């Protein structure tokens, strides 16, 4: 065990962790010349195109240092805030972390939040200054920032470049010298932590785990503690570029396990694996079920594709256990699903994967978060509201609680004013303001999750000219004055356009939605009133005027009453039409709600 090193790479998005991982694999000769490609560990096309890591990956490298052979287990982590739970479990499986900072961009919000995660798990942090070969790099200044943040010596910061491979030798040396070897008792009962799982269509779910104590043998009967289910270990092995089956994996090492499980939901990240016959007494701490934060309805464009969409969603769920969906129907859109996502990026990725991998064109309704509602009749019974239409009637409602987050934003000191006013517009309360350097400020806000779901990130980038990074984590529920704003078209409520809003902004948003819909819905043969309502009270109205024929064209001169008679006759016909006519809502009207501020 003394020659095993388990480490992960943590960084903000785009600071070059996947590229640096490629260089480490090449330097340790884990991959051959033929297998070389950029972002080697990112296996999805979507990951390569967007340049982000969506799933974390693990790979084992063999490296000889001063005549001794070492085994280095690298666990790559996603950088995006939506996947922070996966990052926390990957960190729990390691003893050390490479903290990568871009020499041109300096420290960003997620660098700090992932660093705190690593420090909570007592990891040895090796700071790496990446991209030092860029013309815009500022190594001396950024090194000072890292020293201030970590309290280390400037000599501890390794200068490197993922592009040219400069400094990779020093990184490997630091991993071996600074990262402690794993501790664990190979003779104790089996105790292993699941940090990831991948679905293979031929072999079922492949579970990635790190053995803390004991060892796991091929053919052994094992038990997953959180689900309580027992399986046989059909195959265990280590993760090179391709899987290498082994007879057993001992304490301190990282490997994969195949048990023939068909449903990804049975393997939970953070769960403990133990021996079914001689179980461990201690469960690895920190396990939690991943909870969806953002909900949206996904509907097929053509109602006949409903069953096909269900099959596609089920296949996607095999690969992504954090996607949750239940069937629902809407009067405006027909049959579809109410889906739960980890965040807005997760929603975008699922939508894109449905279109790419399954050729499903879908309509996504306005994303919203889940609320807790309480009625007057049962003030202690919580009703979970994932869909605005589930909210009890205003007359019976006692109170509503909404989820709050702690948001940390790092920006240049020039943009503090605009960023603060944006957050206060979004009902944020500032809790802290720290100057990291004379140029850079960290602002901490408590704000409602529902306010950041729509356009917050885009607007933050706009007001800070791209110089702000953003990170958040949930802090629980708080009581708020929320109301449901319904949109009525021709007197009929359109459930897909309902939204739960704070009382203070309900009037403005209702008015804007009516104005936007007036521009988007084509004119008909009759007048269409568009109304926004809270309960029975109408708060805004716009009218789409009817297309009219000039019926008075044939009257020239003569008495005015002849013209009036013709116009009255036309008016009656339009009124009768309005009673029977129905209004087609174009697809972009559903998306318009997201872009109210443009």
């Amino acid at each position: 065990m003394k020659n095993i090193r388990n480490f992960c790479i943590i960084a903000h998005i785009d600071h070059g962790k996947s590229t640096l991982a490629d260089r480490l694999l090449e330097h340790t000769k884990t991959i051959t010349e033929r297998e070389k490609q950029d972002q080697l560990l990112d296996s999805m096309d979507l990951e390569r195109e967007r340049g982000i890591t969506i799933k974390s990956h693990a790979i084992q490298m063999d490296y000889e240092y001063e005549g001794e052979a070492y085994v280095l287990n690298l666990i790559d982590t996603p950088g995006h805030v939506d996947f922070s739970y996966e990052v926390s479990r990957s960190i729990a499986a390691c003893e050390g972390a490479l903290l990568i900072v871009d020499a041109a961009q300096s420290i960003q919000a997620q660098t700090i939040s992932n660093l705190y995660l690593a420090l909570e798990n007592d990891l040895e942090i090796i700071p790496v200054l990446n991209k030092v070969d860029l013309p815009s790099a500022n190594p001396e200044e950024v090194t000072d920032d890292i020293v201030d943040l970590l309290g280390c010596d400037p000599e501890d910061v390794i200068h490197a470049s993922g592009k040219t491979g400069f400094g990779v030798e020093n990184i490997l040396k630091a991993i071996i010298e600074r990262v402690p070897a794993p501790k664990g008792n190979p003779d104790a009962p089996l105790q292993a932590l699941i940090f990831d799982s991948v679905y293979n269509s031929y072999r079922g779910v492949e579970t990635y785990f790190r053995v803390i104590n004991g060892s796991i043998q091929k053919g052994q009967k094992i038990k997953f503690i959180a689900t309580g289910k027992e399986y046989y270990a059909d195959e265990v092995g280590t993760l090179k570029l391709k899987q290498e089956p082994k007879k057993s994996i001992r304490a301190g090492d990282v490997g994969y396990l195949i048990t023939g499980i068909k449903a990804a939901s049975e393997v939970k990240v953070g769960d403990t694996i133990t021996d079914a016959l001689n179980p461990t007494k201690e469960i690895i701490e920190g396990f939690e079920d991943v909870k969806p934060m953002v909900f949206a309805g996904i509907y097929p464009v053509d109602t006949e594709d409903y069953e096909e969409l269900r099959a596609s969603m089920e296949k996607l769920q095999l690969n992504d256990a954090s996607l949750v969906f239940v069937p629902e129907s809407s009067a405006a859109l027909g049959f579809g699903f109410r889906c739960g996502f980890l965040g807005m990026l997760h929603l975008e990725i699922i939508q894109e994967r449905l279109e790419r991998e399954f050729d499903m064109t879908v309509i996504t309704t306005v994303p919203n978060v889940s609320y807790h509602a309480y009625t007057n009749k049962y003030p202690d019974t919580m009703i979970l509201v994932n869909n605005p239409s589930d909210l009890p009637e205003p007359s019976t409602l006692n109170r509503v609680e909404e989820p709050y987050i702690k948001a940390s934003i790092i920006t240049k000191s020039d943009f503090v004013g605009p960023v603060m006013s944006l957050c206060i517009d979004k009902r944020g309360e500032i809790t802290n303001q720290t100057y990291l350097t004379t140029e850079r400020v960290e602002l901490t806000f408590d704000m409602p999750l529902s306010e950041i779901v729509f356009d917050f990130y885009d607007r933050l980038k706009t007001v800070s000219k791209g110089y702000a990074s953003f990170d958040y984590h949930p802090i629980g529920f708080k009581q708020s004055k929320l109301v449901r704003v319904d949109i009525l078209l021709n007197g009929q409520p359109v459930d897909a356009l309902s939204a739960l809003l704070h009382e203070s902004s309900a009037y403005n948003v209702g008015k804007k939605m009516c104005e936007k819909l007036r521009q988007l819905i084509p004119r008909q043969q009759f007048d269409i009133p568009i109304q926004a309502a809270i309960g029975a009270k109408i708060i805004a109205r716009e009218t789409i005027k009817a297309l009219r024929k000039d019926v008075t064209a044939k009257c020239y001169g003569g008495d005015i009453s002849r013209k009036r008679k013709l116009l009255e006759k036309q008016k009656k016909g339009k009124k009768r039409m309005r009673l029977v006519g129905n209004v087609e809502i174009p697809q972009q009207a559903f998306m318009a709600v997201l872009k109210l501020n443009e």
Side-chain angles (χ1 to χ4, degrees), residues 128-154:
V128 176
L129 192 59
N130 195 18
K131 306 192 187 179
V132 289
D133 58 322
L134 285 182
S136 57
N138 201 340
E140 289 79 17
E141 201 174 298
V142 180
T143 303
D144 292 343
D145 292 352
I146 296 173
V147 169
D148 290 344
L149 180 69
L150 289 176
C152 60
D153 295 327

Side-chain angles (χ1 to χ4, degrees), residues 38-72:
D38 287 347
Q39 285 175 268
L40 187 81
L41 294 180
D42 292 348
S43 48
M44 247 185 278
D45 290 345
L46 207 60
E47 293 182 312
R48 293 175 174 284
E49 275 170 37
R50 290 184 170 220
I52 55 174
T53 304
I54 295 168
K55 287 291 291 174
S56 55
H57 296 265
I59 193 160
Q60 190 177 79
M61 303 178 278
D62 296 320
Y63 185 62
E64 195 170 297
Y65 176 69
E66 293 183 350
E68 279 195 60
Y70 287 88
V71 173
L72 310 178

